[in-house]
Structure formats: C-alpha cells, structure tokens
Amino acid sequence: MTQSIALQINNPFSVQLKKGYPLISKDAVDARHLPKEEGALLRLMDNHNHFIGTGYYGIQNKGIGWVLTTDANETIDKAFFMKKINKAIQNREAFFNNPQTTAFRIFNGEGDGIGGLTIDFFDSYYMVSWYSAGIYSFKEEVYEALAETVDYKAIYEKKRFDTKGQYMEQDDFVMGTPGEFPIIVSENNMNYAVNLNDGAMTGIFLDQREVRLAIRERYAEGKNMLNTFSYTGAFSVAAALGGAVKTTSVDVAKRSLAKTIEQFSVNSIDYESQDIKVMDVFNYFKYAQRHNLKFDLVVLDPPSFARTKERTFSTAKDYPKLLVDTIAITEKNGIIVASTNNASFGMKKFKSFIDQAFKETKTAYKIVEEFSLPKDFRATREYPEFNYLKVVFIQKLN
C-alpha cells in the first residue's frame, strides 16, 4: 500500500481531530506540504510531533481529506475496507430483514468511518458514490472488499468530483450482470422506479423515506396536495397512496413529466387523475395566486442551489421568500412540509427562516413534527454538519 506522508496539523485543528472530528480542514495544514496527487495517505501529526491519525488526501467541500483511523499501526488496505463495510452492514441488519423496504443506504461516508464514500442498496443492486478523486484512488480495494462481503446482481458507481463537485458523465456499470432499468424497489410497500445507469440521479432520494411514510400515513387522506420541486414525484406518490383527493407536482425539468408518470404507473395510480406541471416553481406560485388555488398539504423541498434562465436560487438566502409564497396558497390549518438538505446551516437557523416567513405574513403557525436523517444514514456526534437533512411539518393556523 502507498507509503504515508507526514503532515503537521495546526492548532486548534489538531485538538478538533483528536476529539473525533473526521474532516481535515484546508486551514489545518500548510498547503505547500500537501502531496501532488490526491489519494496519498497522510500521517497526521500535532505540533509536538505526536500521532493523531492516518487520513487520505482528497479535496471535498471545505476539506482536503478525511481521517480513516487513529490506530498508528492500522494499514489502509482491502482488509481495512472490508472491516468497515462488514460493520456497516451489521448495523443495518434490520433493513436487510425488512421485505417491505428494498432500498436503503448501507454505507454513509464518515458516519461509517470513511468520508467521501457512500454505498446504496437497491434490491440486490449496489450503487457506490465517490466524492473526491482521493477516495476514488482506492476503488480497487473498495470494490474487491464489497464484492467479497455482499451478494450482488450488479455494482454501479457515481463519480461526484469534477472541479465543481458535480457528477461526471460516464457509463456507471462496474461489475456483475447489468440491470434492465428501471428496476422497481419497494419502500414501506410503495413502489419506486429506479435507474442506476442514467445520469446523476436514480429517481428517488432515500434520505426522505420516513417523510414519505409520514405523508402517506398521517397527512394525505382527503387532502389536495402540492409537491414543489417535485423531481420524479415521490412525495406525490406517497400522498396519492395515502388517500389524497388530488396531487399537483411542479418541477422545471422537462424529464420530470415522464419520470413522474412512471412513478404513478408502477403504483397503479392513474396519472391522468393527477396534475403534473413542467414549470418554474416561482412562476407556479404566481399562477396559483392568480387563479386563487389553495392546497391543504404543500411539500417544499428545493435543491440547495438551482439556476434557471430566469433566476438563481439558494436555500441559504431564498428559503424565507419561498415560504412566504407557500403560505399564501396554503389553506387554513393546512400543512407545509418544509425541507432542506443544505448542510451549511443547522435546524435552529432553518427554524428561524420559518419564523421569519410566518411573521412577515402575520400568520400563526405550529410545528407538528420534525425529521432528520433516517437510521441507515448514520452520522457521528463529532461531525454534526453531516446530519444535513432538516424537515419540519408546519401547520398554518389562520
């Protein structure tokens, strides 16, 4: 295995790493001492030349790599990855034993001890996502470890580390027998069509499983539901199966229409009885207000950052405005499902956005339920930013 390079970590970052923080910050090191190639192993030392841990060099978000072990004698090889994957699978035994759900995350980056790497399970197909060129340099060891640990039909990959941290277009098939897509996975007895070899997105965001179940079980019956930034309509499917009178799905992407029709169809829901609009959500809000449309249940789950021809949207600055528009078209006692996966702020800040919007519109509200990442998306206490998902069910009271 690659020889590790000694790298001094500056205070206070060395204290942070010793407490279990797994991300090696850009500011923690003298950039002149970084190796030339991503993937190099780093022997992290404090100012007194005491060993902190072994990590790898890989540029991701605000970091230059991740700590892999604090054991000075541990080798980073196939056996290391096998041990981590095995432990992650043991921690998810309940998911593997649940026939009603056949899609979940089996390995969640630093939550399972290897930052920059996630592995998702889709009914015996596995999808590995790589978040830096650094971790991708270990692909042979990781794939060998995975192939020897699990029974699989096929393994696919997503490389998410071009210069802007975006998905890199490629043939995503790695090994096994290529799937006939879409494959149909089950989630709490709901069906979802999934593609593992068709660009960045699979067709479903697994981290919202518990939110979809809540919508189906507790909020949808008899309701008129609006699903904004609807992607493939997964929330709309949950609402329709939960007895919603009607669902309206709105997304600016042209392919969202066919994808949403597909999700309704694999659940034997007549998509023609639902409303699917390919439209900028902000324009739809204006349209709804002009036509005096009101909804009992509104899902608001925008991307962290989006750009259309007309506007640029960022949840960090634009979420309150989005909520103001949503409040205007929500019925009295209606429910707004406010959601964000933006990791740059926490739940407290997100709730301040909610409060700001309701105060601005002089509307009373009550928070009725909250969600963060489900159990298969393991996060560590030492790295709270990684628990990025924030979902708040809000009742509009007047």
Side-chain angles (χ1 to χ4, degrees), residues 54-83:
T54 301
Y56 73 85
Y57 176 40
I59 295 162
Q60 182 189 348
N61 300 343
K62 293 172 183 168
I64 54 105
W66 297 93
V67 178
L68 295 173
T69 179
T70 54
D71 178 349
N73 299 314
E74 187 159 29
T75 308
I76 309 304
D77 55 9
K78 184 177 87 172
F80 168 83
F81 291 110
M82 212 156 172
K83 184 181 80 174

Side-chain angles (χ1 to χ4, degrees), residues 141-160:
E141 293 90 341
V142 171
Y143 283 134
E144 283 177 26
L146 181 62
E148 288 179 32
T149 307
V150 300
D151 291 324
Y152 61 90
K153 289 180 182 169
I155 297 172
Y156 285 81
E157 72 177 13
K158 305 285 179 194
K159 291 196 290 195
R160 301 182 181 273

Side-chain angles (χ1 to χ4, degrees), residues 310-330:
E310 290 179 45
R311 63 177 56 82
T312 300
F313 171 84
S314 154
T315 44
K317 62 178 175 54
D318 298 320
Y319 210 103
K321 164 78 172 80
L322 202 54
L323 270 168
V324 165
D325 289 341
T326 306
I327 292 162
I329 60 168
T330 303

Side-chain angles (χ1 to χ4, degrees), residues 87-151:
K87 187 168 184 220
I89 286 169
Q90 284 166 14
N91 285 332
R92 291 160 177 85
E93 201 175 338
F95 286 91
F96 281 101
N97 292 336
N98 177 4
Q100 297 178 353
T101 295
T102 60
F104 48 90
R105 178 151 292 183
I106 71 149
F107 198 96
N108 198 39
E110 52 275 28
D112 286 295
I114 305 172
L117 175 74
T118 65
I119 308 173
D120 293 320
F121 174 85
F122 294 97
D123 198 12
S124 297
Y125 292 87
Y126 288 81
M127 191 183 82
V128 182
S129 293
W130 307 89
Y131 289 87
S132 75
I135 190 63
Y136 194 62
S137 71
F138 296 95
K139 65 182 184 296
E140 283 178 27
E141 293 90 341
V142 171
Y143 283 134
E144 283 177 26
L146 181 62
E148 288 179 32
T149 307
V150 300
D151 291 324

Side-chain angles (χ1 to χ4, degrees), residues 213-230:
L213 182 64
I215 286 171
R216 187 188 76 188
E217 298 293 291
R218 298 192 285 285
Y219 295 96
E221 192 171 358
K223 299 297 191 288
N224 181 16
M225 183 256 205
L226 171 65
N227 183 8
T228 63
F229 306 96
S230 58

Side-chain angles (χ1 to χ4, degrees), residues 149-328:
T149 307
V150 300
D151 291 324
Y152 61 90
K153 289 180 182 169
I155 297 172
Y156 285 81
E157 72 177 13
K158 305 285 179 194
K159 291 196 290 195
R160 301 182 181 273
F161 56 85
D162 78 354
T163 49
K164 292 179 183 160
Q166 298 296 308
Y167 164 79
M168 295 160 78
E169 290 289 344
Q170 60 164 14
D171 175 16
D172 294 334
F173 175 73
V174 178
M175 63 175 83
T177 306
E180 293 287 325
F181 295 114
I183 56 168
I184 310 303
V185 297
S186 182
E187 180 189 278
N188 295 311
N189 280 339
M190 298 182 269
N191 293 329
Y192 289 106
V194 167
N195 287 279
L196 302 185
N197 206 18
D198 183 29
M201 305 298 195
T202 61
I204 186 156
F205 293 116
L206 297 178
D207 54 3
Q208 294 278 13
R209 180 190 316 110
E210 292 174 350
V211 180
R212 286 187 285 269
L213 182 64
I215 286 171
R216 187 188 76 188
E217 298 293 291
R218 298 192 285 285
Y219 295 96
E221 192 171 358
K223 299 297 191 288
N224 181 16
M225 183 256 205
L226 171 65
N227 183 8
T228 63
F229 306 96
S230 58
Y231 180 39
T232 67
F235 288 122
S236 306
V237 166
L241 291 173
V245 176
K246 187 179 181 184
T247 70
T248 301
S249 306
V250 183
D251 199 291
V252 74
K254 286 189 170 57
R255 64 188 302 198
S256 67
L257 176 62
K259 294 284 184 188
T260 304
I261 288 171
E262 181 176 63
Q263 299 295 27
F264 279 129
S265 301
V266 300
N267 286 281
S268 305
I269 299 163
D270 176 13
Y271 67 86
E272 291 183 336
S273 66
Q274 311 297 323
D275 207 357
I276 308 167
K277 293 198 178 297
V278 177
M279 193 173 181
D280 183 304
V281 168
F282 293 90
N283 292 341
Y284 182 79
F285 282 134
K286 290 174 192 159
Y287 167 87
Q289 281 190 278
R290 276 201 313 274
H291 293 81
N292 206 22
L293 301 178
K294 293 263 181 148
F295 298 89
D296 310 299
L297 176 62
V298 183
V299 174
L300 199 58
D301 183 29
S304 291
F305 183 83
R307 181 179 279 127
T308 65
K309 283 175 188 166
E310 290 179 45
R311 63 177 56 82
T312 300
F313 171 84
S314 154
T315 44
K317 62 178 175 54
D318 298 320
Y319 210 103
K321 164 78 172 80
L322 202 54
L323 270 168
V324 165
D325 289 341
T326 306
I327 292 162

Side-chain angles (χ1 to χ4, degrees), residues 308-373:
T308 65
K309 283 175 188 166
E310 290 179 45
R311 63 177 56 82
T312 300
F313 171 84
S314 154
T315 44
K317 62 178 175 54
D318 298 320
Y319 210 103
K321 164 78 172 80
L322 202 54
L323 270 168
V324 165
D325 289 341
T326 306
I327 292 162
I329 60 168
T330 303
E331 295 277 15
K332 182 183 174 184
N333 294 322
I335 297 287
I336 297 169
V337 182
S339 173
T340 181
N341 62 0
N342 191 325
S344 70
F345 54 84
M347 183 63 101
K348 191 176 175 187
K349 178 83 178 279
F350 189 47
K351 284 183 175 173
S352 78
F353 292 165
I354 293 166
D355 197 56
Q356 183 185 329
F358 276 89
K359 277 185 175 147
E360 193 178 313
T361 56
K362 297 183 172 57
T363 310
Y365 71 97
K366 180 172 78 174
I367 290 173
V368 289
E369 218 170 331
E370 292 175 34
F371 291 87
S372 55
L373 288 174

